Amino acid sequence: MTDTCVILDIGGVLEFTPRPGASGASAKTPNEELVAYLRGIRRRCRLGILSNSFVGARERETALYRFDELVDEIVYSHEIGINKPDPRAFEAACAALGVRPEDCLFVDDVLVNVEAARGLGMQAHLYEDNARTIARIAAHVEAGRALHG
């Protein structure tokens, strides 16, 4: 196990919300392609989730998606009393995972959160699609393996 770490958001990254007015889509769905990729790298780096959340989110997402089996730690904002983009939320996620911010890649679909992570010294990626996100995660993990052996 290396110190390399990837921390992801749930809404808009690991879970898709249908666009208002989209036909045939009324429920949130998991990002199956990204989840499958993360399962494949699970033993090569630390994985975590940092999510702005609501009471009941942990139970809902565990029942629907089993994210607790995908990652090492999940940090929900309602449980720590701090929302992204507050730097303390990112610090809490790093502390829960036992990693330094500079060893982490944070992935979110909200630019202000990505910028806040960078401000703390984390690598950060704005989620726009799976292809670019998977390529960015792969590059981060490989760089970490080269650095940490």
Side-chain angles (χ1 to χ4, degrees), residues 21-43:
S23 62
S26 60
K28 296 178 179 187
T29 59
N31 182 341
E32 297 286 357
E33 181 182 11
L34 185 55
V35 168
Y37 174 76
L38 293 172
R39 280 193 187 108
I41 66 164
R42 177 99 168 74
R43 304 228 184 280

Side-chain angles (χ1 to χ4, degrees), residues 112-132:
V112 69
N113 295 337
V114 169
E115 291 170 344
R118 285 186 184 132
L120 189 64
M122 300 173 88
Q123 299 292 313
H125 174 78
L126 180 65
Y127 178 88
E128 295 176 304
D129 61 50
N130 283 338
R132 283 182 276 204

Side-chain angles (χ1 to χ4, degrees), residues 15 25 29-30 48-49 58 83-85 93 104 111 130 144:
E15 175 188 68
T29 59
I49 289 174
R58 182 178 295 275
N83 285 334
K84 299 175 291 181
C104 292
L111 183 59
N130 283 338

Side-chain angles (χ1 to χ4, degrees), residues 9-149:
D9 181 38
I10 293 178
V13 178
L14 291 174
E15 175 188 68
F16 294 133
T17 302
R19 292 186 191 100
S23 62
S26 60
K28 296 178 179 187
T29 59
N31 182 341
E32 297 286 357
E33 181 182 11
L34 185 55
V35 168
Y37 174 76
L38 293 172
R39 280 193 187 108
I41 66 164
R42 177 99 168 74
R43 304 228 184 280
R44 296 174 56 203
C45 67
R46 303 277 294 156
L47 291 174
I49 289 174
L50 174 60
S51 182
N52 285 349
S53 58
F54 53 89
V55 173
R58 182 178 295 275
E59 295 78 11
R60 174 194 169 275
E61 290 159 358
T62 295
L64 287 174
Y65 308 126
R66 309 301 297 169
F67 288 147
D68 59 320
E69 296 172 1
L70 177 67
V71 301
D72 299 298
E73 295 290 337
I74 303 175
V75 176
Y76 285 103
S77 64
H78 77 278
E79 294 175 353
I80 63 169
I82 305 165
N83 285 334
K84 299 175 291 181
D86 187 316
R88 295 174 298 164
F90 301 100
E91 290 168 347
C94 290
L97 287 157
V99 296
R100 301 175 308 167
E102 56 268 26
D103 292 325
C104 292
L105 171 66
F106 176 70
V107 179
D108 201 307
D109 65 325
V110 177
L111 183 59
V112 69
N113 295 337
V114 169
E115 291 170 344
R118 285 186 184 132
L120 189 64
M122 300 173 88
Q123 299 292 313
H125 174 78
L126 180 65
Y127 178 88
E128 295 176 304
D129 61 50
N130 283 338
R132 283 182 276 204
T133 298
I134 289 170
R136 181 65 184 92
I137 293 170
H140 177 74
V141 171
E142 286 307 312
R145 288 170 58 94
L147 183 64
H148 298 293

